[in-house]
């Protein structure tokens, strides 16, 4: 198992201890069994079991979610669905149709696993060779891919909802450095993190920039983003939004999107493109491990709120 939900486990453990609920921890916290028969409840990974099976499956499918939102009049980033050739009986994907997407979006595409999370295996493709390479890598380990237009995303906000109530709302602020006229982009980037994180950061930088760009001196006052992704796992920092018009606008859009697929407990990413907010994706599993490093009390509060919903339907006695 990867990405074990350790902070989530700590919150669930405390909840159960305070309320006298039995807790059986399996698979290093990946599977939790709360309560005793016949009143048992399961948490699997980041899925608290509050969402219906259909809502969960829809949220896990980026292309299906985008299609449903668009059909319901909710502004959303389009995602084209591409099935792995191994599942269609074909020797290779329908490259002519796929390459038409690139012709329609000459600025480039974003290729991602259709059911992936945390920005893993997400790549940009601006040429036919890059597009084919990205899809081939996904199909080597996955069943399907989603292809979205490469857009200039000015801002990204995550809204964590529970039955229409926003529990946590935060902006994903990408890492940026400012040039001093004397140090390279690589040196400036490394100065932003502790030494023990240098190796990880260098791997990320190698995927973002070529060697000549990393070695070039950044002019004084010039600013450079260190990642085109807004994922916390790729260095973005959470900036909590506790009030204001931005929070209200993003929450309203996320709430409307959640209602379309009937999902109760979810994290929804909304993005600002050309001055308009759109839904990027809906997540059924509410993953807060990285957020918890910055605001562990919020992770616990969200977990407690979700579990209160669970055990409201499992009265004692």
């Amino acid at each position: 198992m990867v990405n074990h939900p350790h902070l989530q486990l700590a919150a669930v453990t405390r909840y159960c201890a305070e309320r006298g609920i039995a807790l059986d921890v399996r698979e290093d916290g990946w599977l939790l069994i709360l309560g005793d028969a016949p009143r048992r409840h399961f948490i699997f990974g980041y899925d608290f079991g509050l969402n219906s099976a259909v809502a969960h499956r829809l949220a896990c499918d980026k292309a299906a979610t985008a299609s449903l939102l668009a059909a319901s009049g909710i502004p959303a980033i389009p995602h084209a669905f591409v099935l792995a050739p191994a599942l269609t009986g074909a020797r290779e994907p329908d490259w002519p149709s796929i390459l038409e997407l690139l012709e329609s979006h000459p600025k480039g595409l974003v290729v991602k696993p259709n059911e992936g999370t945390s920005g893993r295996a997400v790549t940009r493709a601006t040429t036919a060779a890059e597009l084919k390479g990205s899809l081939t890598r996904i199909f080597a380990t996955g069943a399907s891919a989603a292809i979205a237009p490469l857009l200039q995303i000015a801002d990204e906000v995550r809204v964590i909802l529970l039955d229409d109530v926003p529990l946590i709302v935060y902006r994903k602020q990408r890492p940026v450095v400012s040039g001093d006229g004397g140090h390279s982009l690589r040196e400036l980037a490394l100065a932003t993190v502790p030494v023990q994180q240098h190796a990880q950061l260098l791997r990320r930088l190698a995927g973002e920039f070529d060697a000549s760009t990393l070695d070039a001196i950044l002019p004084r006052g010039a600013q450079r983003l260190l990642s085109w992704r807004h994922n916390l796992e790729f260095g973005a920092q959470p900036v909590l939004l506790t009030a204001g018009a931005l929070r209200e606008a993003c929450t309203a859009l996320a709430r409307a999107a959640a209602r379309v697929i009937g999902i109760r407990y979810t994290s929804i990413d909304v993005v600002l493109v050309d001055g308009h907010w759109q839904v990027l994706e809906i997540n059924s599993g509410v993953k807060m491990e990285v957020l918890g490093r910055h605001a562990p009390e919020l992770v616990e509060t969200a977990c407690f709120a979700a579990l209160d919903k669970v055990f409201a339907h499992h009265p004692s006695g």
Side-chain angles (χ1 to χ4, degrees), residues 140-212:
T141 58
S144 62
I147 302 176
L150 178 60
L151 304 170
Q152 290 295 323
I153 295 177
D155 205 353
E156 182 170 330
V157 170
R158 170 161 288 189
V159 181
I160 297 176
L161 288 175
L162 175 61
D163 288 337
D164 274 357
V165 176
L167 300 178
I168 307 172
V169 182
Y170 63 90
R171 169 188 278 126
K172 299 179 182 181
Q173 185 170 290
R174 289 177 291 176
V176 62
V177 294
S178 297
D180 59 6
H183 293 86
S184 68
L185 177 60
R186 179 186 285 105
E187 292 169 329
L188 293 169
L190 291 175
T192 65
V193 299
V195 173
Q196 57 268 30
Q197 297 180 20
H198 281 188
Q200 181 183 32
L201 177 57
L202 287 172
R203 286 194 295 271
R204 289 206 304 262
L205 292 174
E208 298 277 347
F209 307 99
D210 57 35
S212 60

Side-chain angles (χ1 to χ4, degrees), residues 67-76 253 260:
S67 177
L68 279 173
L69 292 178
S72 302
I74 305 298
L253 179 56
V260 167

